[in-house]
């Protein structure tokens, strides 16, 4: 097993195999000496001149509101009872991004609405319908710096409000992220394995099926289990199929995971991948062997929405 280990993981430009120790992860406040994976850092920074929303930073990752807007839509529908329909909406959007373009992180879930009070004192979070995104299955996906993705968008959409808010007295959202603190790159066998083997602490897996048919198409099933006990918190990042020159033929993230009482169980499938003129070389698995988490607290007050 070949392992690359990085403190506060940051990828160098290029393939994941070319990984450098991060020097850009900002530690701007005290670090707990007994736990190097824990940093107690302030989340609010000085707002740049001309910027409406505050920037919030942690370990070099930035979180910010992008847009907050209210609107009214009038439409005529021919079906059902005819007449004009009125839709009052409030949209909140933001993003988490990495200016360095090298860190691997994900949203733990959609943003959590803690407070949303309009200028008249009405609690919109309690009285209006709303949905938050990304939805949980999408929130489990990590950014992929090697493919140029360095940001994740999030938002909250309010609908079915009794009246359009002219302003917000207070808006408070929590955005929780997980960042890779350490990774392991493992070469998988090109044959089925009878049992799962330990590939990293709290992470076991096996190739349960492997076939190359006469037409040169590859089918592969990889199963894994992540223990939910104490110790490091690993995660599946990606599985890559390389040709004999080391070039990537296909790189995929896991399609789904099932959470049980004591483990996360996942299955990754490759269906009939056509190799063309190339020859299959290495099957490479990248495991995030430890995750650290942080919650951004975004608060805005006295926002005017309608003039």
């Amino acid at each position: 097993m070949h392992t690359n280990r990085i403190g506060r993981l940051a990828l160098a430009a290029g393939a994941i195999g070319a990984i450098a120790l991060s020097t850009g992860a900002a530690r701007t406040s005290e670090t707990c000496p007994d736990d190097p994976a824990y940093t107690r850092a302030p989340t609010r920074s000085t707002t740049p001149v001309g910027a409406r929303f505050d920037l919030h930073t942690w370990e070099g990752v930035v979180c910010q509101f992008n847009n907050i807007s209210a609107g009214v839509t009038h439409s005529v529908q021919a079906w059902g009872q005819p007449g004009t329909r009125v839709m009052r909406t409030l949209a909140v959007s933001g993003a988490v991004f990495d200016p360095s373009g090298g860190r691997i992180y994900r949203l733990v879930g959609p943003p959590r609405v803690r407070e949303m009070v309009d200028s008249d004192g009405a609690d919109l979070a309690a009285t209006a319908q709303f949905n938050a995104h990304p939805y949980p299955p999408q929130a489990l996906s990590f950014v992929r710096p090697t493919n140029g993705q360095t940001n994740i968008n999030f938002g909250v959409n309010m609908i079915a409000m009794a009246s359009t808010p002219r302003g917000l007295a207070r808006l408070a959202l929590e955005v929780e992220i997980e960042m890779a603190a350490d990774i392991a790159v493992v070469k998988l066998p090109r044959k089925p394995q009878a049992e799962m083997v330990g590939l990293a602490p709290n992470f076991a897996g096996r190739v349960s099926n492997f076939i190359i048919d006469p037409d040169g198409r590859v089918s592969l099933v990889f199963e894994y289990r992540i223990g939910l006990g104490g110790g490091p918190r690993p995660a599946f990042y990606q599985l890559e199929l390389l040709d004999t020159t080391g070039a990537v033929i296909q790189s995929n993230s896991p399609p789904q995971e099932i959470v049980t009482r004591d483990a996360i169980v996942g299955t990754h499938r490759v269906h009939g991948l056509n190799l063309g003129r190339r020859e299959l070389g290495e099957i490479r698995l990248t495991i995030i062997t430890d995750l650290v988490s942080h919650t951004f607290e975004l608060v805005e007050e006295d926002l005017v929405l309608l003039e």
Side-chain angles (χ1 to χ4, degrees):
M1 180 176 73
H2 176 62
T3 303
N4 293 309
R5 303 207 174 275
I6 300 93
R8 281 297 182 277
L9 182 95
L11 298 181
I16 202 167
I19 297 175
L21 185 67
S22 170
T23 58
R27 293 176 177 270
T28 56
S29 66
E30 61 180 310
T31 299
C32 178
D34 298 327
D35 183 4
Y38 170 79
T39 303
R40 187 164 58 240
T43 60
R44 292 184 74 90
S45 62
T46 302
T47 304
V49 176
R52 174 59 185 89
F53 301 118
D54 289 346
L55 299 177
H56 303 253
T57 63
W58 175 73
E59 293 292 344
V61 175
V62 180
C63 185
Q64 177 185 32
F65 284 126
N66 289 337
N67 182 70
I68 302 173
S69 60
V72 181
T73 301
H74 297 263
S75 63
V76 176
Q77 297 176 348
W79 52 268
Q81 183 178 358
T84 301
R85 304 293 191 266
V86 179
M87 177 66 73
R88 300 176 177 87
T89 59
L90 173 64
V92 178
S93 65
V96 182
F97 58 96
D98 171 22
S100 74
R103 293 170 178 82
I104 293 174
Y105 61 92
R106 68 181 176 186
L107 294 181
V108 175
R112 297 185 290 268
V113 179
R114 292 308 185 201
E115 291 182 83
M116 190 176 288
V117 181
D118 69 15
S119 53
D120 295 325
D123 185 355
L124 301 179
T127 59
Q129 300 177 25
F130 71 91
N131 59 70
H133 58 88
Y135 302 108
Q138 298 170 321
L140 293 176
S141 297
F142 290 95
V143 296
R144 299 169 66 82
T146 52
N147 290 348
Q149 182 193 1
T150 60
N151 70 282
I152 303 176
N153 297 321
F154 61 86
V156 176
N157 297 319
M158 312 289 292
I159 59 175
M161 293 182 290
S163 62
T164 305
R166 304 191 63 84
L168 292 178
R170 183 175 174 85
L171 170 64
L173 258 62
E174 290 183 352
V175 179
E176 186 178 358
I177 70 167
E178 292 178 328
M179 183 189 295
D182 198 6
I183 69 171
V185 180
V186 181
K187 182 178 178 180
L188 295 177
R190 294 173 47 173
K191 62 180 181 180
Q193 298 170 279
E195 297 180 351
M196 288 192 179
V197 296
L199 301 175
N202 289 339
F203 191 106
R206 68 166 183 149
V207 176
S208 60
N209 186 53
F210 179 83
I211 298 173
I212 299 182
D213 68 20
D215 295 324
R217 290 188 294 265
V218 178
S219 295
L220 167 70
V221 178
F222 175 72
E223 300 173 348
Y224 58 94
R225 183 183 187 276
I226 299 172
L228 296 178
R233 296 189 299 128
F236 184 113
Y237 181 62
Q238 67 182 8
L239 188 147
E240 298 169 295
L241 282 75
L242 288 69
D243 65 18
T244 51
T245 69
V248 175
I249 303 172
Q250 186 181 80
S251 176
N252 289 337
S253 299
Q256 65 179 12
E257 293 179 336
I258 298 173
V259 181
T260 67
R261 180 176 299 178
D262 60 350
I264 297 172
V265 180
T267 302
H268 179 80
R269 300 177 186 274
V270 175
H271 295 286
L273 174 64
N274 192 343
L275 298 177
R277 295 179 178 273
R278 293 191 282 185
E279 183 181 348
L280 181 64
E282 181 179 318
I283 302 173
R284 189 166 65 189
L285 169 70
T286 302
I287 303 167
I288 296 174
T289 56
D290 199 12
L291 289 165
V292 290
S293 62
H294 176 76
T295 300
F296 291 102
E297 298 178 359
L298 309 183
V299 179
E300 293 293 336
E301 297 179 329
D302 300 324
L303 293 174
V304 177
L305 300 177
L306 300 176
E307 294 284 2

